[in-house]
Amino acid sequence: MPSKISSPAHARRRSETRFLALSVALALTAAGATVYAFTADAGQPHGRQVELAVHGGTARVDTGSLAVRAHTRDGRDLTLSDAAATDLGAPGPVTRTGRSRARWSYPERGIDVTARTDHGRLSLSLKAHRDTSVSWPVTGTDATASALRLPRGEGLDIPVDDPFWTTGKGALAGSTVDVSEGLTLPLWGYSLGRRTGVSYLTPTDIGTSLGFTAPHGRLRTTAEHAFDGGEGTRAYTVTFALTDGAATAPGTDYRSYLAERGQLGSLKRKIADNPATGRLLGAFHAYTWGEARTAQGIERLRALGVDRMWLGYDGKPYPDRAAVRAAKKAGYLIGPYDSFANGQDPKTADAPNSAWPGTVYPDFCVRDAAGEPVTGFGGRGCYLSSQAFERAEPARHLLADRTRAMVANGADSYFLDVDATGELFRDHAGSHRMTKGQDRRNRLARMRRIASHGKDGLVLGSESAQAWANRVLAFDHGAGTPVADGLWALQKDREKWGGYYPENAPGVFFKPVDLPADLATAMYDPRYRVPLYETALHGSLVNTERWELGYEKLPRQKKDRALLAMLYNTPLNYALDGPSLKRHGAELAALQQYFAPLHKAAGTEPLTSFRRLTADRTVQRTVFGGGTLTVTANFGTTAYRGLPGGCADARLKGDDEPRRLCPADLGPRTGGERGDTP
């Protein structure tokens, strides 16, 4: 689903603070204690400096403005946040509780603040007593800031002064992204020169947005949180961590954050709980039509040498039991696409997934503040309330019955569209009111039930999985794609993109498309790509690109997409019917045979290193499991230490020689590999 981008004007203000360096304060800081130093800030006469020890140095918060600075162990002073862009009013007195915690308030704003250390991070938590909003932190303002790390899809690493992203066709400046919906991880970060960076985590992502500006041609970001009692967002927490400046450092920070709280899933544990999940390792993914969902088509795929696949299907006829048996015999997973999110009048519904029994439609429709139904997919029907389903389920078993019917052919996997994405709803309907937070909890509850359905459970996937769903899902389709907004406009042009016909090979899946140069750059230029999502979640679930962007959909991006998949140890996603299987089957088989041993060895391991080996960023290397797998990809046109341009070398622990892949050699060439980069 597209992220909602808007362009609100964010007011900015700066405050100048003079610090009094006290010898006793320095001594206490060295001891890891909390330090309070009075300031002489004329604008905030009651402000104080609250200083806490963090990994890599100390962090200092100005209670008068919420400006945050850090002093690193190598003697540098860095700005982690400018003063809040919201007038907070005069702060109350600081109260110390313990050696590493301090509290104060902003009485005029009705906000209490707690500052503390959190596993080496600075954590600032704001709690509001009434509805209000705060624009803070204000980041990227330090003079040494050189790159913004942003988890759009798999992740982007953007030089702060790059014209393409500041004022060009990929410009972020002037836009705002909902952190809980438009980012795959609730974080962002900056590099701050000399092997130093900062990571910002926002665990209270619902109600938080991130706005982009580019004063003087340099990207800055300002978070804004809406404290709303009706939405249940009266609490707001941001953590600040000094990092080593690596492009993936915010992902590393977030992985640690999840692990510290028992919120990091494990693919190994999921396989132990349901051995069928192990068939994801080494598998490519494909949605099937026509012959590709028959027993004969599946046997044909296996005969090509493809030993692992996830096969999904939508619409009817579903694969029969013979096809499901053939898939399982081949070592594949197979399962339906479904959605619990959309409802239409069952008499006129144009999709079987949108037809529900009785009066689910319109009784279960999400209602806006005016009491009107929230329009559903593509302007059809309505979005259905997860709260309405949860209340009805114990007695009516609507979701359990739907799941049972969908896997009656013996399918062992399930893809539940949109449940794990960030698009959440507040429902104002009197009989099933819910906040966005409750919507998220409801979705998690029903996904857990699907994963444990039946004797052995189902191997569960969802769309563009947000990090909060990582423990319940085995795989997702979509979080690997850094979608730029122009993609949605392109997809609406059915003449260029293709529609949902013919039924046995819809153009939306099978019609090849040339991405405009700006979209190709924003989404697939490897110089800007960085595996933030894999750094945070690899080994927890299996991540792929979006379902409508099969490998053959974008011919000019095939080489780079194949190299990125091998570099990130993530499967390729396909759309298959009889003709495409005949045309591309041998190429698919060669790619899968290369990928399978790499993913079987490292799919359950963390991504432990990502490096760029050349100044132009075209040669990149990843390491998984501390050396279990090392992959080097050359996205350029000239050889690097014997590795030709357009090729990748992979080495498993114990290999004498690297395993080489040159994707362009596997199939017919289709012209340029990606659009020209401005």
Side-chain angles (χ1 to χ4, degrees):
M1 307 300 292
S3 60
K4 290 190 166 99
I5 300 290
S6 57
S7 302
H10 284 277
R12 288 180 173 273
R13 68 180 181 83
R14 294 175 178 272
S15 64
E16 296 180 353
T17 306
R18 295 189 302 160
F19 303 108
L20 299 178
L22 304 176
S23 58
V24 63
L26 294 174
L28 286 170
T29 299
T34 306
V35 178
Y36 310 105
F38 288 99
T39 73
D41 185 338
Q44 298 287 352
H46 303 295
R48 297 184 177 197
Q49 301 299 321
V50 172
E51 190 165 308
L52 299 174
V54 296
H55 286 326
T58 56
R60 183 183 301 126
V61 184
D62 181 352
T63 67
S65 66
L66 283 181
V68 182
R69 292 184 62 81
H71 183 77
T72 66
R73 286 176 182 163
D74 61 0
R76 300 172 62 204
D77 286 308
L78 302 170
T79 299
L80 305 189
S81 172
D82 269 3
T86 304
D87 185 2
L88 299 170
V94 174
T95 301
R96 174 177 171 175
T97 55
R99 291 173 57 85
S100 57
R101 186 185 298 259
R103 295 181 178 177
W104 66 95
S105 65
Y106 299 105
E108 295 175 28
R109 203 80 187 175
I111 292 176
D112 296 333
V113 182
T114 300
R116 64 186 181 91
T117 57
D118 175 4
H119 296 82
R121 306 176 192 88
L122 169 68
S123 174
L124 284 168
S125 296
L126 283 63
K127 183 177 181 180
H129 299 285
R130 58 178 181 267
D131 289 355
T132 185
S133 65
V134 168
S135 293
W136 171 89
V138 180
T139 62
T141 62
D142 192 272
T144 65
S146 59
L148 167 66
R149 280 69 191 256
L150 190 69
R152 189 160 84 177
E154 183 62 65
L156 296 172
D157 182 20
I158 302 171
V160 297
D161 57 357
D162 190 314
F164 178 76
W165 297 100
T166 56
T167 58
K169 291 188 176 180
L172 290 169
S175 68
T176 299
V177 63
D178 185 325
V179 173
S180 70
E181 180 177 338
L183 301 180
T184 51
L185 307 171
L187 60 85
W188 70 99
Y190 280 91
S191 61
L192 300 177
R194 289 173 50 185
R195 299 180 182 274
T196 305
V198 57
S199 168
Y200 305 92
L201 307 182
T202 55
T204 49
D205 56 333
I206 297 175
T208 303
S209 60
L210 190 65
F212 303 88
T213 58
H216 310 295
R218 292 174 58 82
L219 277 174
R220 294 182 178 179
T221 45
T222 298
E224 181 175 7
H225 186 78
F227 298 89
D228 187 320
E231 283 285 11
T233 59
R234 289 274 183 87
Y236 177 42
T237 296
V238 182
T239 71
F240 303 70
L242 292 176
T243 73
D244 62 4
T248 54
T252 302
D253 181 31
Y254 189 49
R255 186 181 185 92
S256 296
Y257 180 93
L258 293 174
E260 291 156 7
R261 288 157 176 78
Q263 296 173 3
L264 180 63
S266 165
L267 204 51
K268 290 179 181 178
R269 286 198 297 270
K270 293 169 188 174
I271 293 170
D273 292 339
N274 179 3
T277 304
R279 282 183 263 147
L280 285 173
L281 299 178
F284 279 0
H285 295 229
Y287 285 93
T288 58
W289 279 263
E291 182 190 351
R293 64 171 61 172
T294 67
Q296 293 77 14
I298 292 167
E299 289 163 359
R300 182 176 170 186
L301 188 62
R302 184 66 185 90
L304 288 168
V306 178
D307 71 336
R308 292 284 175 92
M309 286 292 293
W310 178 90
L311 300 177
Y313 50 88
D314 184 19
K316 292 185 177 180
Y318 292 156
D320 58 22
R321 287 186 175 273
V324 172
R325 285 196 300 269
K328 292 180 176 180
K329 182 179 179 181
Y332 303 167
L333 288 163
I334 187 167
Y337 162 98
D338 197 8
S339 174
F340 298 164
N342 193 241
Q344 299 180 43
D345 186 335
K347 296 177 182 178
T348 58
D350 57 8
N353 308 95
S354 298
W356 294 86
T359 58
V360 167
Y361 176 87
D363 292 355
F364 285 21
C365 289
V366 172
R367 302 278 171 170
D368 62 19
E372 295 298 318
V374 177
T375 304
F377 296 166
R380 300 166 297 164
C382 70
Y383 279 102
L384 297 176
S385 171
S386 66
Q387 183 72 357
F389 275 121
E390 286 301 294
R391 290 187 174 184
E393 193 64 12
R396 299 177 64 183
H397 315 301
L398 292 163
L399 302 183
D401 288 347
R402 166 70 77 90
T403 303
R404 189 177 300 109
M406 294 291 277
V407 298
N409 59 0
D412 50 10
S413 184
Y414 211 90
F415 183 85
L416 187 62
D417 197 17
V418 310
D419 256 35
T421 66
E423 188 176 32
L424 303 167
F425 293 97
R426 181 177 179 183
D427 188 356
H428 294 265
S431 60
H432 42 81
R433 291 182 182 274
M434 71 176 178
T435 64
K436 290 182 177 180
Q438 185 61 53
D439 191 12
R440 181 180 286 180
R441 292 189 290 274
N442 292 340
R443 295 178 187 212
L444 281 170
R446 68 195 192 187
M447 285 192 287
R448 288 191 188 98
R449 292 197 297 267
I450 294 176
S452 60
H453 177 85
K455 179 181 177 182
D456 299 314
L458 294 168
V459 181
L460 178 64
S462 189
E463 179 191 357
S464 301
Q466 302 283 305
W468 49 265
N470 86 88
R471 284 182 292 171
V472 68
L473 294 179
F475 67 97
D476 88 274
H477 294 160
T481 308
V483 173
D485 281 352
L487 181 66
W488 311 125
L490 179 61
Q491 289 187 358
K492 290 179 181 178
D493 187 336
R494 293 305 187 192
E495 184 176 346
K496 291 182 179 179
W497 190 264
Y500 286 93
Y501 297 94
E503 188 174 351
N504 63 341
V508 68
F509 291 99
F510 290 94
K511 179 181 173 64
V513 172
D514 284 341
L515 286 183
D518 59 305
L519 272 181
T521 298
M523 293 173 62
Y524 291 112
D525 191 324
R527 296 175 301 166
Y528 299 122
R529 293 284 298 259
V530 62
L532 284 174
Y533 192 90
E534 297 312 312
T535 300
L537 296 178
H538 196 275
S540 174
L541 51 75
V542 175
N543 179 32
T544 76
E545 285 214 64
R546 290 185 58 81
W547 52 271
E548 80 276 27
L549 297 178
Y551 184 59
E552 300 294 340
K553 181 70 177 179
L554 307 174
R556 291 180 177 269
Q557 280 68 52
K558 283 179 62 174
K559 173 179 69 68
D560 284 348
R561 293 175 77 190
L563 293 180
L564 285 166
M566 303 309 155
L567 186 69
Y568 296 170
N569 200 229
T570 55
L572 291 172
N573 210 342
Y574 281 79
L576 293 177
D577 67 347
S580 65
L581 185 56
K582 181 177 181 180
R583 182 178 180 186
H584 303 294
E587 181 184 5
L588 183 161
L591 287 166
Q592 190 272 336
Q593 288 164 8
Y594 180 86
F595 174 76
L598 311 182
H599 198 233
K600 289 175 182 177
T604 59
E605 299 294 327
L607 193 163
T608 48
S609 175
F610 170 77
R611 295 174 56 203
R612 299 185 181 99
L613 305 181
T614 56
D616 65 2
R617 297 183 166 198
T618 60
V619 183
Q620 303 175 12
R621 176 172 291 161
T622 51
V623 179
F624 297 85
T628 298
L629 170 66
T630 301
V631 183
T632 305
N634 185 348
F635 296 96
T637 57
T638 60
Y640 172 82
R641 298 187 178 181
L643 177 61
C647 299
D649 276 351
R651 189 187 294 268
L652 290 170
K653 184 182 291 184
D655 280 353
D656 294 327
E657 297 292 335
R659 307 163 186 231
R660 178 157 297 174
L661 174 70
C662 298
D665 295 341
L666 300 179
R669 298 189 65 84
T670 55
E673 301 297 346
R674 61 175 179 269
D676 294 335
T677 302

